[in-house]
Amino acid sequence: SAVISQKPSRDICQRGTSLTIQCQVDSQVTMMFWYRQQPGQSLTLIATANQGSEATYESGFVIDKFPISRPNLTFSTLTVSNMSPEDSSIYLCSVDPPGGNTIYFGEGSWLTVV
Amino acid sequence: TQLLEQSPQFLSIQEGENLTVYCNSSSVFSSLQWYRQEPGEGPVLLVTVVTGGEVKKLKRLTFQFGDARKDSSLHITAAQTGDTGLYLCADGDTGNQFYFGTGTSLTVIP
């Protein structure tokens, strides 16, 4: 298993600003994933972050809007840039520890853009 | 991209009743996971099924994987208020990218 900490847990942001979400894992993992969960909906994969290479983005998500850093095997950041109210969502970090086919989630970062 | 449809989307039942939720895929699952997400928290894994026809039980929860590995069901017996939450199925494909179903929001009324 893995213990994942995300910061901030909640924030209210002004339209047009950017916010960086941090994700810290208690063990080294190869792959980290960032998901978005809009109110009342399921999870949508934004991108996969691998240490030492650029993140791989899913269709509909671009690096300019959601830049990701992965400086080491236990940490990643997701920035939501130039926010609009449509970006109001829960953003979840997850990891897939070695040896299994299960992913574990942080508690999420709930962003409200006003 | 795989499409995972869950039904029903919303379900509200009385405590003590039984219920079943379904997950259907447009393609064969690599492996199938069921998660439950409570408000304000991230999803938590309930079970993983891999083999077609597999049935797993977790206390009052019974998970069934279709023979063709394209569908699954989750049955809850004698629902409790603590079962309230969003139930999500997910497929971990060969690229280790997990795609989630549309979700079933369950409310158990005391």
Side-chain angles (χ1 to χ4, degrees):
Chain A
S1 65
V3 177
I4 304 165
S5 302
Q6 279 187 239
K7 287 193 287 189
S9 57
R10 285 180 178 270
D11 207 341
I12 299 174
C13 307
Q14 294 294 322
R15 183 194 301 253
T17 64
S18 298
L19 181 78
T20 296
I21 302 167
Q22 299 180 4
C23 178
Q24 180 75 52
V25 190
D26 69 342
S27 57
Q28 293 186 339
V29 293
T30 303
M31 303 178 78
M32 297 177 77
F33 306 93
W34 286 99
Y35 286 86
R36 182 174 72 185
Q37 185 176 29
Q38 294 179 305
Q41 297 188 23
S42 185
L43 281 70
T44 301
L45 182 63
I46 298 172
T48 302
N50 296 323
Q51 194 266 338
S53 63
E54 284 196 4
T56 303
Y57 289 83
E58 296 295 303
S59 175
F61 298 96
V62 295
I63 188 171
D64 290 346
K65 176 67 176 177
F66 297 102
I68 287 171
S69 78
R70 183 77 200 277
N72 58 52
L73 292 175
T74 64
F75 187 78
S76 179
T77 68
L78 169 74
T79 298
V80 186
S81 303
N82 189 25
M83 286 184 284
S84 66
E86 291 72 32
D87 294 319
S88 297
S89 284
I90 303 170
Y91 291 86
L92 292 145
C93 169
S94 70
V95 304
D96 179 14
N101 62 350
T102 301
I103 57 173
Y104 297 90
F105 287 87
E107 293 187 342
S109 298
W110 193 308
L111 302 187
T112 302
V113 184
V114 297
Chain B
T1 301
Q2 185 179 25
L3 297 176
L4 301 182
E5 294 285 340
Q6 289 184 239
S7 62
Q9 184 178 1
F10 299 97
L11 188 57
S12 181
I13 62 170
Q14 294 288 330
E15 196 170 26
E17 292 183 346
N18 302 333
L19 66 113
T20 303
V21 299
Y22 301 91
C23 174
N24 291 281
S25 172
S26 58
S27 55
V28 174
F29 284 96
S30 303
S31 63
L32 185 146
Q33 291 84 29
W34 282 97
Y35 291 80
R36 178 171 65 213
Q37 183 181 23
E38 298 184 20
E41 299 183 10
V44 175
L45 177 69
L46 295 174
V47 76
T48 299
V49 288
V50 178
T51 305
E54 186 175 2
V55 177
K56 283 193 174 180
K57 292 192 175 184
L58 181 66
K59 297 184 180 178
R60 293 177 295 102
L61 279 60
T62 302
F63 304 86
Q64 188 159 2
F65 200 14
D67 291 340
R69 298 173 63 235
K70 294 182 69 175
D71 60 274
S72 180
S73 64
L74 159 58
H75 182 79
I76 301 178
T77 303
Q80 301 175 356
T81 55
D83 296 326
T84 293
L86 179 67
Y87 287 81
L88 297 158
C89 63
D91 183 22
D93 73 10
T94 54
N96 284 324
Q97 294 169 311
F98 282 69
Y99 295 101
F100 284 81
T102 49
T104 294
S105 179
L106 172 65
T107 301
V108 181
I109 303 167

